[in-house]
């Protein structure tokens, strides 16, 4: 990375107000601070903090020092900024523009200050461009990391919501499943179901696959793993929702579900569970 000359540093420091004003105008023209995601006051406060850190790092911004101890403070700021923007719903382009929009006011300032030295002008413009590119890329990298974490957390929450463990009766739990059953979801299912068995002391767990569109070898293996885990916890498992199409598929695939109790619907599975726990349901006269 090229170094900024003292002449350039003096130009930047002596024209701070002008640079900040133009920078803020550029961001406003791009729509930053114009909606309810972030107020103009918050944007200005973030810009001032970035500018303060920027002034600290530019005297030593060469030979990759931004990746070392000297650039630690501004890197941390950019990581926090990117994380905040990702959570507020900004995209990576809008986030990086906070840094890249600073190029124009700095370029215009340096062009005017080095009008009498074309060779030095090119060198200093390149140095500023390199510096802001490194900072901008750091922002994009941090934004993507945060965004991936947000997406992963949302996926985990959706998995948990799509596999609720319901207490049907004293000692009887039900797990209605909707959609496809893959390895990740199986893990979530087992963790939530086994924890509920421990919490409630339930004796029977009903896995209802009425909402599962198809059952193939992989899905059957996942079901077997779940049933095995339930049994290891000292409880019994019943699979309900085995429709004629699913039964035929299981037969054609040659899947071995021996030893696993299956029922056509959840009502039948609940009736069996109540019978096993020594309870009966009777109709009262109206």
């Amino acid at each position: 990375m090229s170094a900024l000359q003292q002449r350039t540093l003096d130009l930047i420091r002596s024209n701070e107000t002008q640079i900040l004003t133009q920078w803020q105008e550029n961001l406003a023209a791009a729509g930053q601070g114009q909606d309810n995601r972030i107020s103009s006051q918050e944007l200005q406060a973030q810009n001032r903090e970035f500018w303060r850190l920027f002034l600290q790092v530019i005297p030593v911004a060469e030979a990759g020092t931004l990746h070392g101890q000297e650039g630690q403070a501004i890197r941390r700021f950019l990581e926090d900024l990117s994380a905040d923007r990702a959570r507020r719903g900004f995209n990576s382009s809008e986030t990086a523009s906070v840094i890249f929009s600073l190029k124009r006011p700095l370029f215009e300032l340096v062009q005017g200050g080095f009008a009498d030295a074309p060779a030095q002008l090119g060198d200093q413009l390149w140095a500023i461009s390199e510096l802001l590119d490194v900072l901008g890329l750091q922002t994009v990298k941090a934004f993507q990391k945060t965004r991936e974490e947000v997406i992963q957390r949302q996926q985990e929450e959706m998995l948990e919501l799509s596999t609720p463990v319901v207490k049907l009766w004293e000692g009887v739990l039900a797990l209605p499943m909707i959609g496809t059953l893959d390895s990740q979801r199986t893990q979530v299912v087992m963790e939530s179901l086994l924890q509920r068995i421990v919490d409630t002391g339930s004796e029977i767990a009903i896995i209802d696959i009425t909402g599962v569109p198809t059952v193939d070898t992989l899905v059957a293996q996942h079901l077997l793993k779940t049933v095995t885990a339930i049994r290891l916890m000292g409880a019994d498992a019943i699979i309900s929702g085995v429709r004629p199409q699913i039964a035929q598929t299981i037969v054609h695939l040659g899947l071995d579900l021996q030893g696993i109790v299956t029922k056509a619907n959840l009502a039948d599975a609940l009736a069996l569970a109540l019978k096993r726990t020594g309870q009966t349901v009777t109709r009262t006269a109206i």
Side-chain angles (χ1 to χ4, degrees), residues 27 32-33 37-39 42-44 46-47 77-99 139 143 146-147:
L27 290 173
Q32 296 268 356
R37 292 179 297 178
I38 185 171
S39 66
E42 287 180 288
L43 182 62
Q44 290 176 9
Q46 290 177 349
N47 290 351
F77 170 82
L78 292 176
E79 290 171 0
D80 293 341
L81 173 72
S82 300
D84 177 70
R85 293 300 177 92
R87 297 187 185 99
R88 290 175 185 250
F90 287 88
N91 58 41
S92 57
S93 177
E94 290 172 320
T95 303
S97 68
V98 176
I99 309 302
T139 303
F143 178 92
T146 302
R147 191 60 184 157

Side-chain angles (χ1 to χ4, degrees), residues 195-216:
Q195 186 59 50
R196 284 284 283 165
I197 290 174
V198 172
D199 294 341
T200 61
S202 298
E203 303 173 17
I204 297 178
I206 300 172
I207 302 175
D208 184 65
I209 60 172
T210 304
V212 177
T214 58
V215 172
D216 54 19

Side-chain angles (χ1 to χ4, degrees), residues 235-251:
D236 288 331
I238 301 174
I239 297 179
S240 67
V242 181
R243 306 183 299 279
Q245 299 88 340
I246 290 180
Q248 291 176 16
T249 301
I250 292 175
V251 171

Side-chain angles (χ1 to χ4, degrees), residues 164-169 172-176 193 204-208 266:
V165 181
V166 183
K167 184 176 180 180
L168 293 182
W169 209 273
V172 181
L173 297 177
L175 177 66
L193 182 54
I204 297 178
I206 300 172
I207 302 175
D208 184 65
L266 183 58

Side-chain angles (χ1 to χ4, degrees), residues 113-226:
F114 283 85
D116 58 338
Q120 296 180 35
L121 170 61
D123 178 71
Q124 292 304 284
L125 289 177
W126 181 254
I128 292 174
S129 181
E130 276 191 312
L131 173 59
L132 292 179
D133 286 346
V134 169
L135 295 174
L137 291 175
Q138 174 70 25
T139 303
V140 173
K141 181 180 178 181
F143 178 92
Q144 290 176 336
K145 180 181 178 182
T146 302
R147 191 60 184 157
E148 289 171 359
E149 292 173 351
V150 170
I151 292 174
Q152 182 178 358
R153 185 173 65 252
Q154 290 174 340
Q155 290 175 338
E156 291 173 352
E157 291 172 352
M158 289 178 65
L159 281 175
E160 292 175 358
L161 290 173
S162 65
T163 53
V165 181
V166 183
K167 184 176 180 180
L168 293 182
W169 209 273
E170 189 65 34
V172 181
L173 297 177
L175 177 66
M177 305 202 62
I178 300 174
T180 57
L181 188 63
D182 55 22
S183 299
Q184 182 181 7
R185 193 174 181 199
T186 300
Q187 185 64 31
V188 174
V189 166
M190 284 197 290
E191 289 177 359
S192 59
L193 182 54
L194 297 182
Q195 186 59 50
R196 284 284 283 165
I197 290 174
V198 172
D199 294 341
T200 61
S202 298
E203 303 173 17
I204 297 178
I206 300 172
I207 302 175
D208 184 65
I209 60 172
T210 304
V212 177
T214 58
V215 172
D216 54 19
T217 304
L218 186 60
V219 171
Q221 289 175 350
H222 291 319
L223 288 174
L224 288 172
K225 290 179 181 179
T226 304

Side-chain angles (χ1 to χ4, degrees), residues 246-260:
I246 290 180
Q248 291 176 16
T249 301
I250 292 175
V251 171
H252 290 319
L253 292 174
L255 301 176
D256 184 12
L257 297 183
Q258 292 184 1
I260 299 178

Side-chain angles (χ1 to χ4, degrees), residues 263-284:
K263 289 294 180 180
N265 53 61
L266 183 58
D268 291 343
L270 177 58
L272 176 60
L274 293 176
K275 182 178 179 180
R276 286 187 174 183
T277 56
Q279 302 176 78
T280 58
V281 179
T282 58
R283 185 188 299 274
T284 58

